[in-house]
Amino acid sequence: MKKLIVLLGLLAVLFVACAGCVSPDVPAVNNTTTTTDPIVGTWQSTQSYTVDGKEVYIIYEIKDDNTGYAMVAEPGSTEAKKLDIFWGNSDGTYVFAYTTDTSTVYPHTLSADGKTLTDAYGDTYTKI
């Protein structure tokens, strides 16, 4: 039930974002010293969710400039609504902030082998 509430909240934010984005005054800062962070890339949820009777996945596209986007997409679909995000690395924990609400951050951890990203709710994502 908690995951469904989080997913519905993400969808609500996505719809609000489609109406117009508000960029923050100060984006998240990456504290890593390398130019290519292991989190940079495209991550897809390992589990699917059902929204309006359709199977969907959450996908994060993480760019090396501390920006990116989150989206909810159906398998095999080329259409999805994107929500811009900022990300940073705070003492080994990655934090994501949606451009529509930069006061709330969402912690994520990267496995030691760099292959699995896990959010605060225990949901996992793999690089695609």
Side-chain angles (χ1 to χ4, degrees), residues 73-111:
E74 292 181 55
S77 173
T78 58
E79 294 184 27
K81 295 187 180 188
K82 297 178 181 179
L83 177 62
D84 292 328
I85 63 172
F86 291 103
W87 68 273
N89 186 336
S90 177
D91 296 324
T93 298
Y94 291 94
V95 290
F96 295 178
Y98 294 92
T99 58
T100 55
D101 178 14
T102 57
S103 64
T104 304
V105 296
Y106 299 90
H108 292 71
T109 55
L110 189 61
S111 63

Side-chain angles (χ1 to χ4, degrees), residues 1 3 6 8 14 16 18 21 24-25 40 46 56-57 61 73 79 89 94 98 106-109 113-114 116 122:
M1 184 67 170
K3 289 180 184 180
V6 170
L8 291 176
L14 283 171
V16 170
C18 290
C21 292
D25 292 333
V40 172
T46 56
V56 297
Y57 290 87
E61 175 67 33
E79 294 184 27
N89 186 336
Y94 291 94
Y98 294 92
Y106 299 90
H108 292 71
T109 55
D113 63 4
T116 305

Side-chain angles (χ1 to χ4, degrees), residues 24-103:
D25 292 333
V26 180
V29 175
N30 183 0
N31 294 330
T32 61
T33 57
T34 61
T35 57
T36 303
D37 196 290
I39 197 172
V40 172
T42 305
W43 297 83
Q44 178 177 308
S45 61
T46 56
Q47 62 278 355
S48 64
Y49 304 90
T50 302
V51 177
D52 295 331
K54 297 178 183 178
E55 179 185 32
V56 297
Y57 290 87
I58 298 174
I59 297 174
Y60 289 114
E61 175 67 33
I62 307 298
K63 299 178 184 178
D64 63 359
D65 64 355
N66 295 95
T67 65
Y69 59 84
M71 66 180 187
V72 176
E74 292 181 55
S77 173
T78 58
E79 294 184 27
K81 295 187 180 188
K82 297 178 181 179
L83 177 62
D84 292 328
I85 63 172
F86 291 103
W87 68 273
N89 186 336
S90 177
D91 296 324
T93 298
Y94 291 94
V95 290
F96 295 178
Y98 294 92
T99 58
T100 55
D101 178 14
T102 57
S103 64

